[in-house]
Each structure stands twice: as structure tokens, then as C-alpha cells.
Amino acid sequence: MKTQTFVLICDLRDDEEAIQAYVECHKAVAPEIIQSIRVSGILQMSIYRWRHRLSMILVGDENFTFEKKAALDNANEKVQDWEAFLGQYQTNLPGTPDNWRWQLMDKIFEFKA
């Protein structure tokens, strides 16, 4: 199976309480949210944190697109509620539009043995 890998970044509010709340809510993600990730074509998703900066590694199947994911998310009330809830902890990255959370990064180097 052919896959696609993406890396995204997001900033949390630079507030220890908000950071810990965000971390805690990811320890028990609702099954409906996991299912929404799965049906969009995402095969693997990991989020890493350094201070208030988050990095997400997303591996999608060959048919995955962010447009497809956005359409599915917009039609799912549970996902909308989850995103609104998380939004209280997140902030805009410098230079991004208002209410812009996760930013796709450009790959500039790759090594394969």
C-alpha cells in the first residue's frame, strides 16, 4: 500500500495550565474522534510536544487529502465539538490567518538508507 506522510505544527497558549489540559484530553480521545480519523484515510497520527509547540506526524493512505478530511470533519458534529474544545488551548502560528491552528510543513530534506 502506498502512503503519504505529512508533518504539521501548532502552538498552544503559552500557559502551563492550558498545556497540561491539552495533554490530558489526548490521553482518552473519544472513539468517535478516532473513527473520524480512520475513515478519512489516516493510517497513523502522532503528536509530539516541546514546550507550547506541537508537531503532528500524519501518515495517510494514497487517497487521503486534507480537503476530504475537512469535508468529513465539517459534517461531523462530534468532531466540530472536539475542535472547538481544543481551540481554547491553541493559538495562531505567527503569519497565519485568524483561527488557523495546524500548519502543514514543507519537507526540505530526506535521507533513506
Side-chain angles (χ1 to χ4, degrees):
M1 174 191 303
K2 187 175 179 181
T3 62
Q4 310 173 70
T5 301
F6 304 94
V7 177
L8 299 96
I9 60 170
C10 177
D11 278 352
L12 298 174
R13 288 188 298 127
D14 195 4
D15 170 90
E16 193 57 37
E17 214 171 282
I19 292 167
Q20 288 312 309
Y22 187 90
V23 169
E24 283 301 312
C25 72
H26 280 81
K27 290 182 178 178
V29 177
E32 298 90 350
I33 303 304
I34 299 298
Q35 181 63 15
S36 75
I37 293 169
R38 183 177 291 116
V39 300
S40 71
I42 295 173
L43 303 172
Q44 181 179 346
M45 178 187 285
S46 303
I47 299 175
Y48 296 84
R49 180 179 72 86
W50 178 75
R51 297 186 182 176
H52 68 283
R53 172 92 14 115
L54 303 174
S55 296
M56 177 190 295
I57 300 172
L58 185 154
V59 178
D61 65 23
E62 61 191 9
N63 298 313
F64 173 81
T65 67
F66 286 100
E67 294 78 15
K68 175 183 162 186
K69 173 93 172 91
L72 290 168
D73 289 352
N74 288 333
N76 186 322
E77 187 176 334
K78 291 280 188 187
V79 172
Q80 291 302 302
D81 290 346
W82 172 251
E83 290 297 329
F85 175 73
L86 294 179
Q88 69 183 314
Y89 305 119
Q90 298 166 324
T91 187
N92 276 46
L93 288 164
T96 60
D98 289 344
N99 201 28
W100 194 270
R101 297 187 209 151
W102 287 97
Q103 176 62 47
L104 185 62
M105 299 194 59
D106 296 324
K107 183 193 302 185
I108 63 166
F109 176 77
E110 179 175 49
F111 169 80
K112 290 184 179 181

